[in-house]
Amino acid sequence: LGVFARDRADRWRYLNGNEIASFLTYYLTLDGAFGPRRSGVLIKTLVTTRMIQRIAEKSGCSIVPDLLVGFKYIANVLLCLEREGRYNGVHATPADLILAGEESHGVLATPLIRDKDAAGGALILCELVSQLRSKDQFLPEYLDALCLECGNFQNVARSVVMRGIRGSVLLKTMMGS
């Protein structure tokens, strides 16, 4: 799910995957003005912002944090919840899922699909934006207010390039370990 949103000054602002997951999670769980204030389970991967964990703590929601990267691992959590009613200390059913997200702009808002689903996240986003606009508010400022309430998390990605024979050997060693 990709988002560019206009702010109050009519400037466009790009919102990254971590920001999108954060404001969708906040809207669904903590937002007393606009959101449904759901309780249940949140799921995130290792590369997803820790803001999701902070929101879970503040809202009292359960969280499955720091899964390996990929929606197959999120789907596995839902399968375990379905079969066993628990996953690593979280007791729930798949129906308790509020949102699962990754920094790669992937969100999952229903346990029925069990893979990245921008459609569900887009519907929630449209609902949020509609409510904000009805009160002459804007998505970038909503995100800024969320950061003031829950803290701001720096999200940085970096690539490590290993060149040549030495890089190839080092990469093989790392992967083998």
Side-chain angles (χ1 to χ4, degrees):
L1 176 62
V3 178
F4 275 87
R6 285 190 176 164
D7 63 14
R8 183 168 298 286
D10 206 32
R11 293 175 304 226
W12 286 101
R13 181 166 157 191
Y14 165 76
L15 302 171
N16 67 42
N18 280 321
E19 291 169 327
I20 295 166
S22 294
F23 66 66
L24 291 177
T25 302
Y26 178 81
Y27 169 70
L28 291 170
T29 62
L30 273 177
D31 185 342
F34 299 114
R37 296 194 63 123
R38 292 181 54 200
S39 61
V41 177
L42 300 166
I43 304 173
K44 70 178 239 22
T45 64
L46 278 167
V47 295
T48 310
T49 179
R50 295 201 182 280
M51 174 69 85
I52 306 299
Q53 202 152 340
R54 175 74 52 82
I55 293 169
E57 291 164 5
K58 289 180 77 72
S59 66
C61 290
S62 299
I63 185 161
V64 176
D66 301 336
L67 295 174
L68 293 176
V69 178
F71 269 76
K72 64 184 174 186
Y73 297 104
I74 292 169
N76 183 59
V77 169
L78 294 170
L79 182 62
C80 287
L81 294 178
E82 183 175 74
R83 289 183 176 168
E84 301 162 26
R86 62 183 163 71
Y87 181 88
N88 282 359
V90 172
H91 296 271
T93 69
D96 295 319
L97 175 70
I98 299 169
L99 192 83
E102 279 193 334
E103 59 79 37
S104 63
H105 296 251
V107 295
L108 177 63
T110 175
L112 301 175
I113 295 173
R114 301 198 184 176
D115 201 356
K116 282 185 193 180
D117 175 36
L123 288 172
I124 297 165
L125 173 65
C126 288
E127 179 181 287
L128 169 59
V129 170
S130 174
Q131 290 190 53
L132 290 171
R133 294 303 295 132
S134 75
K135 302 289 186 191
D136 196 35
Q137 295 178 23
F138 297 82
L139 195 55
E141 287 83 2
Y142 183 82
L143 179 61
D144 293 343
L146 158 62
C147 291
L148 286 173
E149 180 178 337
C150 295
N152 199 359
F153 291 78
Q154 183 179 16
N155 302 293
V156 178
R158 71 183 163 129
S159 297
V160 177
V161 178
M162 294 181 234
R163 299 180 199 274
I165 294 172
R166 184 170 182 252
S168 178
V169 170
L170 183 59
L171 180 61
K172 254 186 202 170
T173 303
M174 279 193 243
M175 295 305 290
S177 71

